[in-house]
Amino acid sequence: MTGARGTGTSILVGVATLLCVATLLPLAALIVSAFAGSTDAVAHYASTVLPQYILNTVTLVIIVAVLATTAGVSSAWLVTMCRFPGREIFSWALVLPLSMPAYVSAYAYTYLLSHPGPVQTGLRNVTGWGPHEYWFPDIRSLGGAAFVISMVLFPYVYLMARTAFLQQSASAFESARIMGRSPWRAFIGVAVPLARPAIVAGVALVVMETLADYGAVSFFGVQTFTTAIYRTWFSLGDRTAAVQLALVLVSLVLLVVALERVGRRGKRFSEAGRPFRGLHLSGWRAGLAVLACTLPVALGFLVPALTLVGLGVSLDVSWLDARTTGLIANTVTLATVGAIATVSVAVVIAYARRLSGGRMTQALGQLASFGYAVPGAVIAVGLLIPFGAFDRWLHHLMMATFGFGTGLLLTGTIAAVVFAYVVRFLAVSLNGVEAGMARISPSLDSASRTLGAGQGRTFLRIHAPLLSGGLLTAFLITFVDIMKELPATLILRPFNFDTLAIRANRLASDERLAEAAVPSLMIIAVGLIPVVLLSRQIARTNRRRGEVSAADASAIEVIASGEAKPDEVAPSVPA
């Protein structure tokens, strides 16, 4: 029996290892292709446009990181540690911008703030100024792109920071207040440093998403590495130069990941103790808190969504015609299949790591997280190389052997698109699945083995029911991410197979913003459903966590007062 279980574990670890190695296929293809080709084109780029690409990319990342950190940390602190009107609503409303793709927000703000748009038109009507008699910030610029991207990505920082603030004990903050520090100084000097590992992790996600963005920067005309890769491959036809640029971008992304891990090494979140009861805000302080939480939600979700609604209503067209319905079906199908495939692979890897604690299985998680740090355009380019080579080899083989060709079996297929999604978003699903498995006591595995159940039966009868919440969360997050993914879908999709994102991008690129509003609104509507479900689940989890923390705090107080012995106080068990 033990030998059978050992064999089963070895097989599972072997399968998980193969799946993780498969996620490295794009990187391996990029490395081989980059070093096999000439570097003359990249050398020319290095002396002409490459410095500008680097400067634009770095500047964009810095501005987005600062804006997203400011909005995410401040709003997380307010809804977690303060009490003011609307606090419960803001706790979940601040997650809504996650349903807004950056490129969709870019379309809305371009219509709203461009020279012929309603804001500048109204300004000219009120003041009587002519077209060149006033200054107005250009939304189609690097600064505009940074603003739009930061307003839809700050929820990553918000969620990570809020989790860290919820885990903090009130003792440290109250000690700072007793020593005479104001709430603001205690926040800066105590709460933020304790939450720094979580904040850094959230900012790292924002930075990687910014480096991966294609739709918004392309629409605003900002030349970054991602847009340069796409244009070099598909517009200039220089595959070797595109691959070499992609490898440079991968190096930058891996540098960000390494810096994040170095900054997090040896640090941990403060452990939960007596829960913080919250600062009561009233008067102008409550007003400022409401304003600080309203602005990110309004700028990241409400303003672009309402702008697109206004544009869509102005069109005398059916919102759900046959073409739009087909686009919705394609989008939902890709997102559903991609999310199921990604979560399934994550379950195999997570279960293998749980059963085997060896160094190799621990390294699986590091391998699996590679894809999330790489832009979708780079993954697509990395997959086109081996897939195209395989299709050509098989086609020539079949022609020589049987007299007929096979055509493209992998390139330009749904399978290639789903494979790219698995590589890109495996880390997202894996984090959710492993977080759920970490809450399952190892004693349940031991009891199941004692009763003679195998690993498969143990997973189906014990782990799967207990993991249902974590699996749902992983599926919803991956579904939303896939639905918003543009460059990988744009490059790898089958011929004449469009999605809502591709349709919106094509119309916006032709400056048909009013027509682009309809598919853009459909993207938001489809993505809003899982985001709302996530928000409600987060709210329920936070309430349960608060109840557990309160029970633990009461138990500690009873023990400290001497009214009961430690073993007489029942420990709280998370729901």
Side-chain angles (χ1 to χ4, degrees), residues 419-506:
F419 190 96
Y421 291 156
V422 173
V423 174
R424 176 81 172 86
F425 301 111
L426 180 57
V428 178
S429 296
L430 187 61
N431 287 339
V433 174
E434 289 196 325
M437 282 194 174
R439 292 192 291 267
I440 301 177
S441 174
S443 61
L444 295 177
D445 298 60
S446 302
S448 178
R449 288 195 299 268
T450 301
L451 294 173
Q455 295 161 352
R457 188 177 181 185
T458 299
F459 178 80
L460 293 176
R461 299 293 297 273
I462 296 177
H463 293 124
L466 296 175
L467 276 176
S468 58
L471 292 177
L472 177 62
T473 300
F475 174 84
L476 292 175
I477 295 175
T478 308
F479 181 93
V480 173
D481 282 339
I482 290 177
M483 189 199 63
K484 296 189 297 182
E485 171 64 34
L486 176 61
T489 310
L490 189 64
I491 295 172
L492 295 173
R493 79 190 192 281
F495 176 74
N496 205 26
F497 186 91
D498 288 344
T499 63
L500 290 170
I502 294 173
R503 177 63 177 167
N505 176 261
R506 185 171 297 160

Side-chain angles (χ1 to χ4, degrees), residues 302-320:
L302 293 178
V303 170
L306 293 177
T307 300
L308 292 172
V309 169
L311 278 172
V313 170
S314 66
L315 292 175
D316 188 18
V317 296
S318 174
W319 283 31
L320 287 176

Side-chain angles (χ1 to χ4, degrees), residues 52-63 211 224 252:
Q52 189 64 44
Y53 292 159
I54 296 176
L55 179 62
N56 288 345
T57 303
V58 172
T59 304
L60 180 69
V61 164
I62 292 175
I63 297 175
L211 289 172
T224 63
L252 291 177

Side-chain angles (χ1 to χ4, degrees), residues 385-403:
I385 298 171
F387 284 2
F390 175 81
D391 285 339
R392 289 192 298 271
W393 172 80
L394 185 61
H395 176 77
H396 293 314
L397 178 64
M398 296 299 290
M399 286 291 294
T401 305
F402 301 104

